[in-house]
Amino acid sequence: MTTLAIHNPATGALIAEVPADDAASVASKALAARSAQPAWAALPLAQRQACITKFRAAVVAELDALAVTMTRETGKPIKMSRNELNGLLGRIDFFLTEAAPSTATQTVFADGGMTEQIQHIPLGVIANISAWNYPWFVGGNVFIPALLTGNAVLYKPSEYATLTGLAMARLLHTAGVPLDVFIPVVGGGEVGAALQAQRIDGLFFTGSYATGARIAQTLGPRMVKLQLELGGKDPTYVCDDADPRIAAESLADGAMYNTGQSCCSVERIYVHEKIFDSFVAAFLDTVQGFKVGDPMDDSTYIGAITRPQQLDVLDAQVADAIAKGATLLTGGKRLPGNTYAPTVFSGVNHTMDLMVEESFGPIIGIQKVANDAEAVALMNDTRYGLTAGVFSPDEARARAVLGQVNAGSVYWNCCDRVSPRLPWSGHGDSGVGLTLSTYGIQTFTRPKAWHLRQA
């Protein structure tokens, strides 16, 4: 039997070995999901809602233990693991409240004996290849609305968050979701490839652009619905009328929270030349106060880098920036426990990988700009388009800047924020499709048009 070894990234210790799937078992699970989905879809929505409500209660009851599991296998600081699980509860509540009105059959025309209606029917079988950096958020954005709308889900957790994915399955099954309606699929890239080979009606993926592009090439000719949440190189501009310390404290957290391993982490900062020095000083003061250490310590802010190979990416970006003339203000090196020192550069520009390629770690470049127009040009000088922000007390000014920036989500005087009420989407290489909001519920359905003439 094939197994998957799970290690603690902070210590290297083996946590567990779990049975892994192969092509044959993935095919068997896909057939089981296909067989089980019609009966699940035929249940009244209230019964599906009751299962998700019980699942929510189970998450609350086991929250501390679930947080420990997530921290042990991802290296996420334990306080942030608890934050993620508590934040999940609000998302579940949103989906439970909005599932019925978002998918209710609509009568859009009725006149002279002719009625036109739009019905929302489930896609069918959803394959979800999920992420490790926010496994409960990213997974829940997909499987909760997918289940509520009557789909079966083949859920492949990241190999770096497998125990968390198996916990999700256990709690859903205990809450009443049938075993064959939510099926975990365990393994690495080869298992993800086997999942793509099955007869599925939608594939929802969160991860790198390179993997997302391969998935699109594989499934595009088959006309399978795709949602690809990919990378980002998210910029923020600090205007000359902003309070430099308030902006610096917010953006330091936006860049370094979750050890910088967030799709919407602030990854490059542009600061008006009039307040550049004061902003950088306040930013450094904030970052140097972040505690690096044991992820299981409640006071730790910077935890382990989950994927060891990402340390090489960070080292390469540091070396490239220094070679091209950037000024290293703090950090720039590995620390014990698979961690990386919070790293800040000034004197950066777009010839440097640090400013154009995704970092996914606690590292940031701060670039001086002369005016709003220069900031807009630099913010748009990217193949990504996930989020962007502006700090200024002037809302009209911020709106004018953000209105020109290519990004799926924009922030005024805030950053690194996701709301269940707003769609989560990107431009360019940040992906296609969306999750969250009422649109993120309807995305798991297909509209059926009814033309009804009274005889």
Side-chain angles (χ1 to χ4, degrees):
M1 179 180 64
T2 304
T3 60
L4 178 69
I6 300 167
H7 293 85
N8 184 325
T11 66
L14 178 68
I15 301 172
E17 290 192 26
V18 298
D21 282 288
D22 56 20
S25 64
V26 171
S28 177
K29 289 181 174 182
L31 286 173
R34 178 66 60 187
S35 296
Q37 186 270 330
W40 175 249
L43 291 176
L45 173 59
Q47 291 189 34
R48 298 195 296 270
Q49 288 173 315
C51 292
I52 299 303
T53 299
K54 290 177 183 176
F55 169 74
R56 183 194 190 281
V59 171
V60 172
E62 295 191 25
L63 193 144
D64 285 339
L66 296 170
V68 168
T69 295
M70 180 162 45
T71 288
R72 289 181 69 206
E73 66 178 344
T74 68
K76 181 193 294 281
I78 187 67
K79 187 174 182 179
M80 296 179 190
S81 290
R82 294 193 198 101
N83 289 347
E84 181 178 346
L85 285 156
N86 279 307
L88 172 74
L89 304 179
R91 297 193 186 191
I92 295 174
D93 292 340
F94 172 82
F95 289 133
L96 284 169
T97 299
E98 296 296 332
S102 297
T103 59
T105 297
Q106 302 166 267
T107 298
V108 295
F109 179 82
D111 186 55
M114 174 62 74
T115 300
E116 299 171 357
Q117 293 182 330
I118 303 171
Q119 180 188 20
H120 297 275
I121 62 174
L123 289 176
V125 175
I126 301 297
N128 181 200
I129 302 177
S130 197
W132 50 262
N133 59 331
Y134 285 97
W136 286 93
F137 276 166
V138 174
N141 290 349
V142 174
F143 67 72
I144 293 171
L147 291 171
L148 284 171
T149 51
N151 297 278
V153 178
L154 296 162
Y155 182 73
K156 184 199 170 300
S158 166
E159 56 268 44
Y160 298 99
T162 298
L163 297 179
T164 292
L166 293 175
M168 295 171 185
R170 174 177 58 82
L171 296 181
L172 285 166
H173 296 154
T174 301
V177 176
L179 294 177
D180 289 342
V181 168
F182 184 89
I183 307 179
V185 178
V186 174
E190 70 286 351
V191 172
L195 191 54
Q196 295 170 53
Q198 308 311 310
R199 181 189 163 207
I200 53 177
D201 302 295
L203 189 140
F204 287 67
F205 167 78
T206 300
S208 71
Y209 165 79
T211 302
R214 289 196 298 271
I215 291 172
Q217 289 175 344
T218 299
L219 293 182
R222 290 165 48 192
M223 307 302 170
V224 172
K225 184 167 188 176
L226 287 179
Q227 192 275 337
L228 304 172
E229 182 189 330
L230 309 178
K233 192 65 184 174
D234 301 355
T236 295
Y237 169 44
V238 183
C239 300
D240 55 314
D241 55 1
D243 183 311
R245 176 158 291 277
I246 291 175
E249 290 175 353
S250 177
L251 289 171
D253 184 59
M256 306 288 177
Y257 189 87
N258 203 42
T259 317
Q261 299 175 119
S262 303
C263 299
C264 56
S265 287
V266 176
E267 289 226 352
R268 49 198 173 107
I269 301 173
Y270 304 99
V271 182
H272 196 285
E273 59 189 9
K274 290 182 179 179
I275 64 166
F276 183 83
D277 291 342
S278 55
F279 174 88
V280 170
F283 192 91
L284 272 176
D285 184 53
T286 304
V287 168
Q288 289 169 343
F290 291 154
K291 180 179 176 181
V292 182
D294 179 4
M296 290 301 300
D297 186 333
D298 268 336
S299 64
T300 292
Y301 183 89
I302 300 290
I305 296 296
T306 305
R307 297 170 64 254
Q309 53 268 51
Q310 197 64 24
L311 292 166
D312 295 333
V313 173
L314 299 176
D315 280 341
Q317 290 193 355
V318 167
D320 175 73
I322 291 172
K324 293 175 179 174
T327 300
L328 177 62
L329 301 175
T330 190
K333 61 184 179 181
R334 302 186 189 204
L335 298 174
N338 216 49
T339 58
Y340 208 85
T343 299
V344 181
F345 279 96
S346 65
V348 294
N349 59 60
H350 281 214
T351 68
M352 301 171 186
D353 290 345
L354 171 66
M355 297 301 285
V356 295
E357 299 296 338
E358 191 171 29
S359 300
F360 228 65
I363 179 172
I364 192 75
I366 307 174
Q367 184 169 348
K368 184 185 297 185
V369 296
N371 50 51
D372 295 4
E374 183 182 6
V376 168
L378 290 168
M379 293 168 85
N380 280 333
D381 182 26
T382 178
R383 57 195 178 93
Y384 296 108
L386 192 59
T387 79
V390 168
F391 277 75
S392 168
D394 186 340
E395 180 178 358
R397 181 180 183 182
R399 282 183 173 272
V401 170
L402 292 171
Q404 300 174 69
V405 176
N406 300 319
S409 294
V410 294
Y411 304 115
W412 175 43
N413 293 333
C414 56
C415 58
D416 192 25
R417 182 180 187 276
V418 180
S419 167
R421 296 170 293 278
L422 294 172
W424 189 246
S425 64
H427 295 199
D429 287 357
S430 288
V432 296
L434 58 85
T435 55
L436 297 174
S437 77
T438 55
Y439 299 117
I441 297 173
Q442 291 178 344
T443 198
F444 295 97
T445 68
R446 64 179 89 247
K448 188 167 187 173
W450 289 78
H451 303 251
L452 305 169
R453 185 183 295 278
Q454 186 72 36

